Amino acid sequence: MSSLPSSGGSSPTVHVVTIAARNYLPRVRILAESFHRHHPGGVFDICVVDDRTNTVDLSDEGIGVIGLHELDLDPVLLRQMALFYDVTEFATALKPWVMEAGQRRVPGPVLYLDPDIEIFGPLDELVALADQHGIVLTPHVLEPIPRDGLTPPETHIMRAGMYNLGFIGVGADCGGMLDWWQERLVTDAVSAPEIGLFTDQKWIDFVPSLFPYHLHRDPGCNVAYWNLHERPLTRSDDGLLRAGGSPLVFLHYSGYDPTAPHVLSKYAGDLPRVRFSAEPVLSELCARYGERLDAIVAESGELPSYGWERLDNGLLIDGIMRRLAREAVQDALAGEGEGPPDVAAPGGTRAFMDWLLEPTGRRSHPRNHDRLLLERHDVDRAFPDIVRGDTTGFRSWLRINAIDEVGLSPRMVAELDRVVAGWEAEAARPPHPGAHPFAEVIGVLRAELGVGEAARRTAGALSAAGVPHRTTGWYAASRSRATAAQPDSSLDLRGDSDIALVHLNADVFGQVVADLGRTHLEGRYTVGVWFWELEEFPSSLWPAFDLVDEVWVATEFMQRSIGANSPVPVVHMPVPLFPPPVAPGLSRTDLGLDDRFTFLFVFDHFSILDRKNPLGLIEAYTAAFGPDDGARLVIKTINGERRVLDHERMVLAAAGRPDIELRDGYMAPDEVGALLAAADCYVSLHRAEGLGLTIAESMALGKPAIVTDYAGSTDFVHEGVAYPVPFELVEVGDGNDPYEPQVHWADPDLEVASKFMRGVFEHPEEAAIVGARARVELHDRFSAEVCGRRMAVRLDRIRRDR
C-alpha cells in the first residue's frame, strides 16, 4: 500500500467503512443512520462481498459502495477466496483491501466498523488518533475476567485474540500494516482456533510488536457481550448513555438475534455473565435494535441468500469443498501446484465439479471422496472395501447421514453416489469376452520423488511393450509435491488385476495394504517394487516380506542387498532410463547460467544430506578450481526449507565462493530437464544410491558424469561412458536415520574426483565423446521398450507358475 499524505492542519474527514453480505444490509442501514446522525458531513462506505454483478446502489441512503472490482486484488484470486472461505471468513479477510480502497477514495484516516454496530457518540477522537498513531485498536476487556465459571471465560478471548476487530482505525501512514495483513489473509483468515487462527482477528495480536499503534482504552468504545460485565450501561437524567461511567460511543450487537430476544448473544454461552434481567438499559437498546431490524426487513422484503453460497450450476459449496480449494490455492501460491478451476471462466463450474471428482486421492478415489474419508476415519474404517464393489453400506450412509453429519452438499452426495455406484457395477460386471489378465501399477503416481517416478516409468514401459495394465494412485506416504501427471491405464480393463506391482518401499508397505482395503490385494500376486540404498537391508523392514509374493529391484546392488535375507524371490527388473523432458526455448541465460563451464548436482533434502554428500562435492570442486578459473558449480535442491539446518551446512561450506551456487525450490520437470541439458558435466559423489536417476538422465542427455563407483548407479556407470570415482567403505555413523549407524557406505576419493573435474574442464572434447557413448548405451540397454519386454517376460512366467 502506498503511503498517503496526512491531512495536515485541518481536521481529517470522519470516514467509516464496513463489510457485509446482502442479507446483512438491514444492519448496515442502522449503522449508517447512526453514523450520519453524529457525522452529517462524514463519509460512509460499504463493500458488499456477494455483490458479484456490482448492482447494489445505496447512494440515496448516504452509503457509498466499494465494489469488489475496486479492491487491489487479482480477480481470480478473489473468486478463489470466496470459494474457500465461508461468508464470515470472506468478509473479514477482505478488511485490509477495503480499508485501502477507502483511503484511495478519501485520503486520510479510515475507521472500520462491523455492520452489527450502532453509534451513540462522535468518532472524531478515534479519527484523530488514527491520524496521529497510524493504527488504533480496542481491547476486548480492560479488567481481568472473573474466574466465576460464567461465560465467556478468559480462554475464549485468548483463542479469539486480544483485540476485537469489530473496530480498527488506520491512518494515512500505518507503517505497511495493511500490506502485511493482506499477505496473511489471502489464505489464513479461517476460523480455526485449534490451529491458532481466528478469521482476520488473531493476526492483530502481532501489531503491538511490529507497528506503531495506539491502544484505545475508552470503556465507551466497542461495548459488547464480552465486556459488558465491566461496563454496565446506564442512562443519566439528561438521557446520556454511559458505559462503565464513560459516554457510550458505539455498541456492538455481536451475536444478537431478534428472534431470540431473551439472549444477548448466541456466542455468550450457556452461562452468560451478562443477562437482560439485570441490565434494563441494555435490554431496552437491544429490543429497540431488534424492532428496527424487523421493520427494515419487512419494508425491504425477503432477504437474499448469500451470493457465494452456491455456484452458478446450483451446487451448494460445502465445507469439504472449501478446505480442498483453500489447500490447492495455498499450494499454488507456494509454487507447488495449480489452484482449483476458476468458477467464473467459461465452463468453470463444470470444471470445478470435475476437479472435485478427479481421481487424485489415495487409492485413486475422487478428490472430494478421499477428503471425506480422511476427515471421517470412522466412516473409512466402517467401509474399507468400497472401491472393490462392497458399496451398499457406504452408499446408505452417504444418502442418509452425510448431509447432516458432515454438511456435505446434496448435489455432491448425488455425484459421489453415482461414482460409487459405478464401482459396484464395475466389480459385478464379468470380464468382456476375450479379456486377458492384466497388471495393476500402484504407487505415488503423482508425487515428485523417486518411487513415484519409478512407478510412472514402469507404467510407461508396460505401455511400450503392449502389456495390459491399470494404474492406481496412493498418496498418504508422500511429503513431496504431487503435481506430476498420472499415467493412463490401458483401456477397457474390467474386473480385477491378477498381478499387483506396488511401487512403495518396505517401510510403508503395511500402510498401503491397510489403506487399499482388506481385499484389494487379496488373490493377486503381489510384487513389491522396492528401493534401498545400503548394502544391508535392516531387519526392522523384514516384516514387509510377509506382504508380498516377490520383490522387484531396479539394480543388481539392491538385488544383493534386499535378497540376502529375503524369503521370497528378489528379481532384478531395471526401470527405463531415458532423457528427461526438456522445456523448449530456454537458453542458458533463462536458466540463470552464463558461459562458464557448469558442473551440476541435483538432489532432494529428504534423501539424507550425508548420503547425497554435497559437502564432499563442494570440497572436491574447491580443490580443483579457484573462484576465477572459469568454472562454476550449481547444486539444485528441493525441500531445503524443510531441512533448514542441512541446507545451512551447505551454505557455510560454499561461503566465500561466488562460483558455487545453491538453488532450492521446485521447478517444473521440463525446466529441471533443461537445466540438466544446459550443464556441461554432472557430478554425484554420493555415498550410496539405490538407482541414481538424475545421474542416468544426465548421461541419457549425453553429458559426461563423474560418479562414485558404488551402489546402484554402477549398473550404468563404468569406465568409457562415465568417470567412476574410487572409494573406501566407512560406517554410516549417527544422525543419518533411517540408516543404522553400524552399516557401511562409500567414502569417495575426493582427490580423484577433483582431478576428473579438472580434466573434463580442460578437455571438453574428450568428455563429450564419453557423454555420447553414455547416451547410446543407456538407450540400447534401458529404453522403455527394452525394459517393458523384460517385465512382460517376467509377468508371463509368474502366470505360468501360479
Side-chain angles (χ1 to χ4, degrees):
M1 182 191 74
S2 59
S3 296
L4 297 164
S6 175
S7 54
S10 61
S11 297
T13 300
V14 180
H15 184 191
V16 164
V17 298
T18 192
I19 304 171
R22 294 172 301 166
N23 62 348
Y24 243 53
L25 289 181
R27 297 176 189 261
V28 173
R29 288 187 166 96
I30 295 177
L31 172 61
E33 288 171 4
S34 66
F35 171 79
H36 287 304
R37 188 161 56 246
H38 293 279
H39 297 285
V43 177
F44 186 94
D45 289 322
I46 181 176
C47 177
V48 183
V49 295
D50 56 348
D51 182 19
R52 297 169 62 176
T53 56
N54 300 309
T55 56
V56 173
D57 183 0
L58 303 170
S59 57
D60 59 343
E61 301 178 56
I63 302 174
V65 177
I66 297 174
L68 293 173
H69 64 286
E70 297 181 57
L71 307 184
D72 187 17
L73 190 57
D74 177 77
V76 174
L77 183 56
L78 183 141
R79 289 190 290 271
Q80 289 174 334
M81 292 168 66
L83 186 65
F84 63 69
Y85 283 141
D86 66 25
V87 58
T88 302
E89 294 167 343
F90 188 43
T92 55
L94 293 182
K95 201 172 293 182
W97 284 279
V98 173
M99 298 184 79
E100 182 182 61
Q103 288 188 320
R104 285 196 295 270
R105 286 190 169 193
V106 183
V110 60
L111 308 181
Y112 170 84
L113 292 176
D114 266 355
D116 52 357
I117 282 175
E118 184 176 7
I119 299 169
F120 292 89
L123 305 174
D124 302 81
E125 182 182 8
L126 293 170
V127 173
L129 289 170
D131 194 36
Q132 178 182 354
H133 296 283
I135 304 170
V136 182
L137 301 173
T138 55
H140 273 104
V141 293
L142 298 172
E143 301 173 4
I145 296 175
R147 292 197 163 190
D148 51 12
L150 301 179
T151 53
E154 294 168 311
T155 52
H156 287 194
I157 303 299
M158 292 170 67
R159 288 197 294 266
M162 302 314 296
Y163 313 101
N164 181 263
L165 266 290
F167 163 81
I168 184 173
V170 298
D173 185 1
C174 56
M177 189 275 283
L178 291 183
D179 285 340
W180 167 86
W181 205 13
Q182 288 171 359
E183 183 179 2
R184 282 140 186 86
L185 299 191
V186 167
T187 59
D188 290 334
V190 291
S191 180
E194 68 278 4
I195 59 171
L197 295 178
F198 186 70
T199 63
D200 64 321
Q201 187 166 280
K202 186 67 174 173
W203 289 106
I204 300 302
D205 283 359
F206 279 105
V207 164
S209 300
L210 302 178
F211 305 98
Y213 82 110
H214 174 77
L215 183 63
H216 195 52
R217 296 176 56 84
D218 181 358
C221 291
N222 216 352
V223 181
Y225 75 87
W226 53 79
N227 56 31
L228 272 160
H229 65 281
E230 66 179 24
R231 311 179 196 186
L233 296 184
T234 59
R235 189 191 303 273
S236 61
D237 292 340
D238 59 2
L240 179 65
L241 290 167
R242 293 182 177 276
S246 296
L248 177 63
V249 181
F250 59 93
L251 178 62
H252 194 163
Y253 298 98
S254 175
Y256 176 70
D257 183 355
T259 63
H262 62 291
V263 178
L264 172 59
S265 173
K266 62 183 179 182
Y267 306 124
D270 294 334
L271 296 172
R273 188 170 286 106
V274 178
R275 306 178 190 183
F276 284 137
S277 59
E279 300 288 344
V281 176
L282 174 64
S283 178
E284 174 197 337
L285 293 180
C286 288
R288 189 185 65 175
Y289 183 78
E291 290 169 1
R292 292 160 68 197
L293 275 180
D294 290 341
I296 294 172
V297 171
E299 181 181 348
S300 57
E302 185 178 354
L303 296 177
S305 60
Y306 176 48
W308 293 105
E309 184 178 51
R310 297 177 182 272
L311 299 183
D312 291 341
N313 64 352
L315 175 69
L316 179 69
I317 305 171
D318 61 42
I320 287 180
M321 296 180 202
R322 294 191 190 280
R323 289 185 285 277
L324 286 170
R326 174 175 177 257
E327 291 169 3
V329 171
Q330 287 177 310
D331 289 344
L333 292 175
E336 299 183 359
E338 298 180 359
D342 180 10
V343 295
T349 53
R350 181 66 257 175
F352 182 65
M353 286 292 297
D354 292 342
W355 180 79
L356 291 170
L357 297 171
E358 185 180 0
T360 59
R362 302 170 305 159
R363 299 163 274 186
S364 288
H365 285 175
R367 180 181 273 112
N368 208 70
H369 176 264
D370 185 62
R371 182 56 181 258
L372 167 64
L373 296 185
L374 282 173
E375 294 186 5
R376 287 294 302 268
H377 295 295
D378 57 329
V379 176
D380 194 13
R381 289 192 296 269
F383 310 110
D385 295 327
I386 52 177
V387 77
R388 307 294 310 145
D390 183 8
T391 67
T392 303
F394 175 77
R395 292 180 66 195
S396 176
W397 176 87
L398 189 67
R399 293 191 297 267
I400 297 172
N401 300 96
I403 294 176
D404 290 337
E405 291 184 14
V406 186
L408 210 62
S409 163
R411 173 77 175 273
M412 186 51 61
V413 167
E415 292 284 352
L416 289 179
D417 188 54
R418 176 183 59 79
V419 171
V420 174
W423 295 342
E424 185 175 353
E426 184 72 18
R429 184 185 302 131
H432 62 287
H436 297 286
F438 64 91
E440 185 171 6
V441 179
I442 301 170
V444 283
L445 294 170
R446 299 193 68 213
E448 295 185 27
L449 74 168
V451 291
E453 180 63 21
R456 293 189 288 273
R457 292 188 180 221
T458 292
L462 295 175
S463 294
V467 177
H469 64 282
R470 178 169 65 196
T471 58
T472 297
W474 184 77
Y475 299 99
S478 174
R479 297 174 294 177
S480 296
R481 188 171 69 169
T483 59
Q486 179 165 323
D488 293 332
S489 298
S490 298
L491 299 178
D492 199 24
L493 294 177
R494 303 174 185 175
D496 293 331
S497 59
D498 64 334
I499 300 174
L501 306 175
V502 187
H503 290 67
L504 286 154
N505 286 332
D507 58 331
V508 297
F509 212 87
Q511 186 179 351
V512 67
V513 170
D515 275 356
L516 287 171
R518 289 191 298 269
T519 63
H520 192 92
L521 297 176
E522 193 173 289
R524 289 160 183 73
Y525 191 90
T526 300
V527 178
V529 186
W530 293 351
F531 285 81
W532 184 250
E533 295 83 15
L534 303 189
E535 289 188 344
E536 298 178 32
F537 192 62
S539 58
S540 60
L541 300 181
W542 293 0
F545 288 127
D546 296 336
L547 304 174
V548 299
D549 296 293
E550 73 177 49
V551 176
W552 285 6
V553 292
T555 64
E556 293 180 355
F557 173 82
M558 287 190 290
Q559 187 180 33
R560 294 191 297 271
S561 171
I562 297 175
N565 294 286
S566 174
V568 299
V570 177
V571 179
H572 178 210
M573 189 60 64
V575 298
L577 302 176
F578 46 73
V582 176
L586 289 183
S587 66
R588 286 175 68 98
T589 301
D590 294 330
L591 294 164
L593 305 179
D594 51 29
D595 58 358
R596 287 177 291 178
F597 191 98
T598 299
F599 295 93
L600 176 67
F601 179 48
V602 178
F603 77 97
D604 184 344
H605 271 284
F606 283 153
S607 297
I608 311 302
L609 187 81
D610 285 347
R611 179 172 74 81
K612 291 294 186 176
N613 196 26
L615 302 182
L617 171 57
I618 292 172
E619 182 180 344
Y621 173 82
T622 54
F625 300 98
D628 301 318
D629 284 358
R632 73 183 310 195
L633 171 63
V634 175
I635 301 180
K636 170 69 183 68
T637 62
I638 59 173
N639 293 313
E641 77 283 358
R642 302 184 186 183
R643 291 289 186 268
V644 175
L645 295 181
D646 282 346
H647 197 72
E648 185 71 4
R649 291 171 64 191
M650 295 170 55
V651 171
L652 294 175
R657 290 299 298 257
D659 53 329
I660 301 177
E661 182 183 358
L662 308 180
R663 301 183 181 182
D664 185 69
Y666 281 95
M667 297 169 63
D670 61 347
E671 292 174 344
V672 177
L675 185 62
L676 293 171
D680 298 291
C681 179
Y682 193 85
V683 188
S684 174
L685 302 184
H686 63 78
R687 291 193 168 96
E689 282 286 5
L691 176 62
L693 187 58
T694 53
I695 303 169
E697 288 184 326
S698 293
M699 294 173 63
L701 286 167
K703 300 296 174 179
I706 301 170
V707 184
T708 305
D709 191 22
Y710 177 72
S713 55
T714 57
D715 271 23
F716 51 87
V717 171
H718 57 83
E719 289 187 9
V721 298
Y723 297 88
V725 176
F727 63 92
E728 292 183 356
L729 286 177
V730 297
E731 287 191 350
V732 168
D734 295 328
N736 289 297
D737 294 339
Y739 308 124
E740 297 171 336
Q742 73 278 8
V743 300
H744 293 81
W745 60 14
D747 184 20
D749 189 325
L750 301 185
E751 183 177 352
V752 173
S754 294
K755 291 178 180 178
F756 280 152
M757 295 170 81
R758 193 75 202 186
V760 168
F761 171 74
E762 293 177 349
H763 305 286
E765 298 85 2
E766 296 177 14
I769 294 172
V770 172
R773 290 195 203 108
R775 181 174 60 236
V776 172
E777 180 169 312
L778 261 69
H779 178 269
D780 290 346
R781 294 179 57 203
F782 298 102
S783 70
E785 293 80 4
V786 169
C787 293
R789 288 195 296 270
R790 184 165 178 163
M791 293 176 188
V793 169
R794 181 59 190 169
L795 293 174
D796 287 344
R797 177 65 180 270
I798 291 170
R799 291 182 176 117
R800 286 198 307 270
D801 293 346
R802 289 191 70 183

